[in-house]
Amino acid sequence: RFTTNIILSSGINAEYGGTAKSGVGISAMAIMKPDLIMKSIIPVVMAGILAIYGLVVAALLIGKIDPAPGYTLFHSFCHFAAGLAVGLCGLASGFAIGIVGDAGVRATAQQPRLFVGMILILIFAEVLGLYGFIVAIILHLKV
């Protein structure tokens, strides 16, 4: 049940924070410049990667769950902390990608030279989720 919560929270965080918020910006931008739609889909793809981080951590943790005598309290708290790390970092990263994607896509429609700056800021926002993924893997390796 716990691993299901990891997958769900990572997916919901990434898709609401990143896809929904930046999708609004893409829709608004498509009215002005429909030829930039494919170029502006990058924030949606980056938000989807956050959900994959949660899926990978959940798959790793499922492989480590043993029957009751071998699964100690230490193991369960390490797994809980790994889920929280990837989930909360995915939440922060998803919202950052959504906000930057929304504003960046709209700005890129008005000034195409802002595209590189938007991509750089999106990379920095994505790294927040990657840090949580790395911490979750380290916690997974502790047990």
Side-chain angles (χ1 to χ4, degrees):
R1 184 189 323 186
F2 175 68
T3 53
T4 306
N5 290 338
I6 295 171
I7 296 170
L8 284 176
S9 70
S10 293
I12 291 170
N13 294 341
E15 299 314 315
Y16 173 73
T19 304
K21 288 178 89 56
S22 62
V24 171
I26 293 170
S27 299
M29 180 275 314
I31 294 169
M32 294 185 291
K33 297 203 176 181
D35 53 321
L36 293 177
I37 290 176
M38 291 309 290
K39 195 175 182 182
S40 300
I41 205 134
I42 293 172
V44 175
V45 173
M46 292 181 84
I49 293 170
L50 296 174
I52 294 172
Y53 292 161
L55 181 66
V56 169
V57 169
L60 289 173
L61 295 182
I62 286 173
K64 285 276 189 157
I65 295 176
D66 296 327
Y71 193 66
T72 64
L73 194 60
F74 176 73
H75 290 92
S76 62
F77 275 117
C78 278
H79 290 167
F80 180 67
L84 278 178
V86 75
L88 292 177
C89 287
L91 175 68
S93 181
F95 273 99
I97 288 172
I99 292 168
V100 170
D102 181 21
V105 163
R106 291 176 195 231
T108 302
Q110 294 176 1
Q111 178 56 259
R113 292 188 307 186
L114 295 174
F115 181 73
V116 174
M118 178 189 75
I119 296 297
L120 286 174
I121 297 170
L122 282 171
I123 289 170
F124 291 135
E126 177 76 29
V127 168
L128 295 172
L130 182 63
Y131 291 155
F133 180 63
I134 291 169
V135 168
I137 289 178
I138 290 170
L139 286 167
H140 165 72
L141 294 175
K142 286 285 184 191
V143 291

